[in-house]
Amino acid sequence: MMDRSVVIVKPDGLQRGVVGEIIHRLERKGLRLCGVKMIALSDALLDEWYAHHKDKPFFPGLKSYMKSYPVVAMLWEGVDGVATIRKIIGVTKGRDAEPGTVRGDFAMSQQYNLIHASENAEIAKREIELMFAEDEIFEWDKLDLKHIYTDEELR
Ligand code: CMP
């Protein structure tokens, strides 16, 4: 089933110059880009976004890091897109992440791990509502889909 994931290139990703690299990896995989924007994250949005981390000791640091520079927020879609993108980005701590993943190839830190992607379909739904207005989400015919998936996979 097609699903959508919110991917954020975090402030360290912007500084490290990996925005293009990340887009390239997701694009060449066959995922469809449905939205993209640069945004400065607000306290209110971060409080909602990371509500499940609000009692963690790293929460204040996480918030100030996510506000330190703008981020690039994107919406990507594919069959099992949420799970596929989690695999592409790798585990949280950069130095534990498998080579070949975004974090495995470009990150060392647990906090400065370059990229966010929705954890599961339910969280993705909430994140899409928080991050994108309706007119920031684009439906477009990706003409090579029939070469990326079989007809059964697209059904
Ligand atoms: P992510 O898993 O995308 O979402 C939560 C973020 O909090 C995580 O990426 C890291 O950027 C950060 N984070 C997670 N664990 C820690 C930690 N132990 N110390 C500092 N930052 C963390």
Side-chain angles (χ1 to χ4, degrees):
M1 202 186 74
M2 284 277 178
D3 59 26
R4 288 175 172 179
S5 176
V6 178
V7 172
I8 297 175
V9 183
K10 295 178 175 180
D12 54 321
L14 187 67
Q15 288 289 359
R16 298 277 309 280
V18 294
V19 177
E21 173 73 35
I22 288 168
I23 292 175
H24 180 53
R25 287 178 178 220
L26 297 172
E27 207 171 29
R28 73 184 181 183
K29 178 75 171 161
L31 296 156
R32 186 169 73 112
L33 182 61
C34 306
V36 56
K37 65 178 178 181
M38 184 175 259
I39 180 175
L41 300 176
S42 66
D43 271 316
L45 186 128
L46 284 165
D47 285 340
E48 285 204 55
W49 199 269
Y50 288 127
H52 52 300
H53 290 314
K54 77 174 191 329
D55 298 324
K56 307 258 171 72
F58 61 81
F59 183 66
L62 172 62
K63 263 183 76 176
S64 57
Y65 149 58
M66 291 299 288
K67 287 195 307 179
S68 59
Y69 297 98
V71 300
V72 177
M74 299 181 264
L75 187 59
W76 287 91
E77 183 190 80
V79 173
D80 300 328
V82 170
T84 305
I85 292 171
R86 295 289 289 187
K87 280 191 203 133
I88 291 170
I89 76 172
V91 298
T92 303
K93 194 197 279 185
R95 40 191 197 278
D96 286 343
E98 286 289 313
T101 63
V102 173
R103 289 165 174 166
D105 289 350
F106 299 104
M108 286 294 283
S109 167
Q110 182 157 32
Q111 174 163 286
Y112 297 157
N113 60 5
L114 303 173
I115 183 168
H116 164 92
S118 306
E119 214 168 304
N120 57 49
E122 195 185 320
I123 292 176
K125 197 164 165 277
R126 192 170 60 90
E127 290 182 351
I128 293 166
E129 279 165 19
L130 281 172
M131 185 59 78
F132 294 100
E134 260 174 51
D135 65 358
E136 292 174 328
I137 299 175
F138 295 84
E139 297 294 342
W140 55 282
D141 257 346
K142 187 168 161 54
L143 299 175
D144 61 358
L145 277 189
K146 61 177 179 291
H147 302 289
I148 295 170
Y149 304 104
T150 63
D151 290 344
E152 291 78 60
E153 286 171 312
L154 282 173
R155 239 173 254 139

mmCIF file of all heavy atoms in Angstrom, residues 10 50 53 58 62 65 92 103 110-113 115-117, ligand 1:
data_model
loop_
_atom_site.group_PDB
_atom_site.id
_atom_site.type_symbol
_atom_site.label_atom_id
_atom_site.label_comp_id
_atom_site.label_asym_id
_atom_site.label_seq_id
_atom_site.Cartn_x
_atom_site.Cartn_y
_atom_site.Cartn_z
ATOM 1 N N LYS A 10 17.485 18.042 9.014
ATOM 2 C CA LYS A 10 17.618 18.825 10.238
ATOM 3 C C LYS A 10 18.681 19.914 10.063
ATOM 4 O O LYS A 10 19.427 19.914 9.065
ATOM 5 C CB LYS A 10 17.973 17.875 11.386
ATOM 6 C CG LYS A 10 16.869 16.851 11.709
ATOM 7 C CD LYS A 10 17.327 15.909 12.817
ATOM 8 C CE LYS A 10 16.214 14.964 13.240
ATOM 9 N NZ LYS A 10 16.668 14.051 14.322
ATOM 10 N N TYR A 50 7.507 16.567 19.081
ATOM 11 C CA TYR A 50 8.289 15.698 19.963
ATOM 12 C C TYR A 50 7.592 15.490 21.310
ATOM 13 O O TYR A 50 8.260 15.272 22.321
ATOM 14 C CB TYR A 50 9.693 16.283 20.160
ATOM 15 C CG TYR A 50 10.587 16.183 18.940
ATOM 16 C CD1 TYR A 50 11.231 17.304 18.430
ATOM 17 C CD2 TYR A 50 10.818 14.952 18.308
ATOM 18 C CE1 TYR A 50 12.068 17.206 17.319
ATOM 19 C CE2 TYR A 50 11.645 14.856 17.198
ATOM 20 C CZ TYR A 50 12.274 15.972 16.711
ATOM 21 O OH TYR A 50 13.111 15.875 15.619
ATOM 22 N N HIS A 53 8.736 12.851 23.532
ATOM 23 C CA HIS A 53 10.077 12.983 24.136
ATOM 24 C C HIS A 53 10.107 14.054 25.225
ATOM 25 O O HIS A 53 11.177 14.349 25.755
ATOM 26 C CB HIS A 53 11.107 13.383 23.067
ATOM 27 C CG HIS A 53 11.420 12.300 22.078
ATOM 28 N ND1 HIS A 53 11.684 11.002 22.440
ATOM 29 C CD2 HIS A 53 11.524 12.320 20.715
ATOM 30 C CE1 HIS A 53 11.932 10.276 21.364
ATOM 31 N NE2 HIS A 53 11.827 11.051 20.305
ATOM 32 N N PHE A 58 17.066 14.862 27.130
ATOM 33 C CA PHE A 58 17.620 15.545 25.960
ATOM 34 C C PHE A 58 16.618 16.489 25.273
ATOM 35 O O PHE A 58 16.959 17.168 24.311
ATOM 36 C CB PHE A 58 18.180 14.533 24.943
ATOM 37 C CG PHE A 58 17.169 13.555 24.368
ATOM 38 C CD1 PHE A 58 16.328 13.916 23.331
ATOM 39 C CD2 PHE A 58 17.078 12.260 24.871
ATOM 40 C CE1 PHE A 58 15.414 13.021 22.787
ATOM 41 C CE2 PHE A 58 16.163 11.342 24.339
ATOM 42 C CZ PHE A 58 15.334 11.735 23.296
ATOM 43 N N LEU A 62 17.297 19.080 22.316
ATOM 44 C CA LEU A 62 16.730 18.701 21.015
ATOM 45 C C LEU A 62 15.960 19.877 20.416
ATOM 46 O O LEU A 62 16.113 20.203 19.235
ATOM 47 C CB LEU A 62 15.805 17.484 21.203
ATOM 48 C CG LEU A 62 14.955 17.043 20.012
ATOM 49 C CD1 LEU A 62 15.822 16.621 18.832
ATOM 50 C CD2 LEU A 62 14.013 15.896 20.408
ATOM 51 N N TYR A 65 18.353 22.690 19.301
ATOM 52 C CA TYR A 65 19.039 22.234 18.067
ATOM 53 C C TYR A 65 18.109 22.358 16.858
ATOM 54 O O TYR A 65 18.491 22.890 15.811
ATOM 55 C CB TYR A 65 19.521 20.809 18.309
ATOM 56 C CG TYR A 65 19.600 19.845 17.156
ATOM 57 C CD1 TYR A 65 20.378 20.127 16.023
ATOM 58 C CD2 TYR A 65 18.950 18.613 17.208
ATOM 59 C CE1 TYR A 65 20.473 19.203 14.981
ATOM 60 C CE2 TYR A 65 19.051 17.688 16.184
ATOM 61 C CZ TYR A 65 19.805 17.989 15.074
ATOM 62 O OH TYR A 65 19.891 17.072 14.062
ATOM 63 N N THR A 92 18.996 5.716 14.924
ATOM 64 C CA THR A 92 19.167 7.069 15.472
ATOM 65 C C THR A 92 20.631 7.502 15.612
ATOM 66 O O THR A 92 21.009 8.580 15.161
ATOM 67 C CB THR A 92 18.484 7.164 16.861
ATOM 68 O OG1 THR A 92 17.113 6.816 16.707
ATOM 69 C CG2 THR A 92 18.584 8.563 17.429
ATOM 70 N N ARG A 103 22.441 8.090 7.707
ATOM 71 C CA ARG A 103 23.178 8.358 8.948
ATOM 72 C C ARG A 103 24.474 7.550 8.994
ATOM 73 O O ARG A 103 25.493 8.024 9.492
ATOM 74 C CB ARG A 103 22.287 8.038 10.155
ATOM 75 C CG ARG A 103 21.162 9.052 10.333
ATOM 76 C CD ARG A 103 20.118 8.522 11.284
ATOM 77 N NE ARG A 103 19.082 9.500 11.609
ATOM 78 C CZ ARG A 103 17.938 9.180 12.197
ATOM 79 N NH1 ARG A 103 17.678 7.920 12.511
ATOM 80 N NH2 ARG A 103 17.054 10.119 12.467
ATOM 81 N N GLN A 110 24.416 11.069 18.106
ATOM 82 C CA GLN A 110 23.075 10.599 18.426
ATOM 83 C C GLN A 110 22.057 11.715 18.215
ATOM 84 O O GLN A 110 20.942 11.476 17.791
ATOM 85 C CB GLN A 110 23.047 10.151 19.883
ATOM 86 C CG GLN A 110 21.726 9.589 20.353
ATOM 87 C CD GLN A 110 21.898 8.691 21.561
ATOM 88 O OE1 GLN A 110 22.784 8.900 22.375
ATOM 89 N NE2 GLN A 110 21.069 7.690 21.685
ATOM 90 N N GLN A 111 22.465 12.950 18.554
ATOM 91 C CA GLN A 111 21.543 14.081 18.369
ATOM 92 C C GLN A 111 21.658 14.664 16.967
ATOM 93 O O GLN A 111 20.653 14.867 16.289
ATOM 94 C CB GLN A 111 21.803 15.170 19.401
ATOM 95 C CG GLN A 111 20.957 16.422 19.136
ATOM 96 C CD GLN A 111 20.888 17.341 20.333
ATOM 97 O OE1 GLN A 111 20.217 17.072 21.309
ATOM 98 N NE2 GLN A 111 21.611 18.435 20.242
ATOM 99 N N TYR A 112 22.885 14.921 16.537
ATOM 100 C CA TYR A 112 23.090 15.511 15.215
ATOM 101 C C TYR A 112 23.074 14.388 14.177
ATOM 102 O O TYR A 112 24.104 13.999 13.644
ATOM 103 C CB TYR A 112 24.410 16.274 15.156
ATOM 104 C CG TYR A 112 24.513 17.453 16.094
ATOM 105 C CD1 TYR A 112 25.751 17.945 16.496
ATOM 106 C CD2 TYR A 112 23.376 18.090 16.564
ATOM 107 C CE1 TYR A 112 25.855 19.034 17.348
ATOM 108 C CE2 TYR A 112 23.472 19.177 17.419
ATOM 109 C CZ TYR A 112 24.712 19.633 17.818
ATOM 110 O OH TYR A 112 24.818 20.707 18.661
ATOM 111 N N ASN A 113 21.878 13.890 13.917
ATOM 112 C CA ASN A 113 21.761 12.722 13.027
ATOM 113 C C ASN A 113 21.106 13.066 11.697
ATOM 114 O O ASN A 113 20.559 12.216 11.016
ATOM 115 C CB ASN A 113 21.060 11.568 13.747
ATOM 116 C CG ASN A 113 19.662 11.934 14.210
ATOM 117 O OD1 ASN A 113 19.164 13.019 13.915
ATOM 118 N ND2 ASN A 113 19.015 11.027 14.914
ATOM 119 N N ILE A 115 18.698 13.878 9.898
ATOM 120 C CA ILE A 115 17.438 13.641 9.177
ATOM 121 C C ILE A 115 16.377 13.064 10.102
ATOM 122 O O ILE A 115 16.695 12.333 11.045
ATOM 123 C CB ILE A 115 17.717 12.697 7.966
ATOM 124 C CG1 ILE A 115 16.487 12.446 7.111
ATOM 125 C CG2 ILE A 115 18.336 11.382 8.412
ATOM 126 C CD1 ILE A 115 16.789 11.759 5.777
ATOM 127 N N HIS A 116 15.150 13.436 9.865
ATOM 128 C CA HIS A 116 13.996 12.834 10.542
ATOM 129 C C HIS A 116 13.136 12.159 9.493
ATOM 130 O O HIS A 116 12.992 12.663 8.391
ATOM 131 C CB HIS A 116 13.161 13.933 11.233
ATOM 132 C CG HIS A 116 11.785 13.463 11.609
ATOM 133 N ND1 HIS A 116 11.493 12.919 12.837
ATOM 134 C CD2 HIS A 116 10.620 13.424 10.897
ATOM 135 C CE1 HIS A 116 10.212 12.575 12.864
ATOM 136 N NE2 HIS A 116 9.663 12.873 11.704
ATOM 137 N N ALA A 117 12.542 11.028 9.857
ATOM 138 C CA ALA A 117 11.507 10.433 9.011
ATOM 139 C C ALA A 117 10.434 9.846 9.912
ATOM 140 O O ALA A 117 10.731 9.316 10.993
ATOM 141 C CB ALA A 117 12.088 9.345 8.119
HETATM 142 P P1 CMP B 1 14.872 11.226 15.804
HETATM 143 O O1 CMP B 1 14.878 9.794 16.220
HETATM 144 O O2 CMP B 1 14.580 11.619 14.412
HETATM 145 O O3 CMP B 1 13.854 12.015 16.768
HETATM 146 C C1 CMP B 1 14.223 12.306 18.095
HETATM 147 C C2 CMP B 1 15.548 12.976 18.079
HETATM 148 O O4 CMP B 1 16.080 13.296 19.355
HETATM 149 C C3 CMP B 1 16.596 12.020 17.495
HETATM 150 O O5 CMP B 1 16.333 11.846 16.155
HETATM 151 C C4 CMP B 1 17.868 12.755 17.851
HETATM 152 O O6 CMP B 1 18.097 13.887 17.012
HETATM 153 C C5 CMP B 1 17.499 13.237 19.255
HETATM 154 N N1 CMP B 1 17.948 12.276 20.256
HETATM 155 C C6 CMP B 1 17.519 11.024 20.458
HETATM 156 N N2 CMP B 1 18.138 10.457 21.513
HETATM 157 C C7 CMP B 1 18.975 11.396 21.981
HETATM 158 C C8 CMP B 1 19.882 11.443 23.077
HETATM 159 N N3 CMP B 1 20.049 10.391 23.886
HETATM 160 N N4 CMP B 1 20.569 12.559 23.261
HETATM 161 C C9 CMP B 1 20.394 13.611 22.461
HETATM 162 N N5 CMP B 1 19.533 13.652 21.413
HETATM 163 C C10 CMP B 1 18.841 12.553 21.179
#
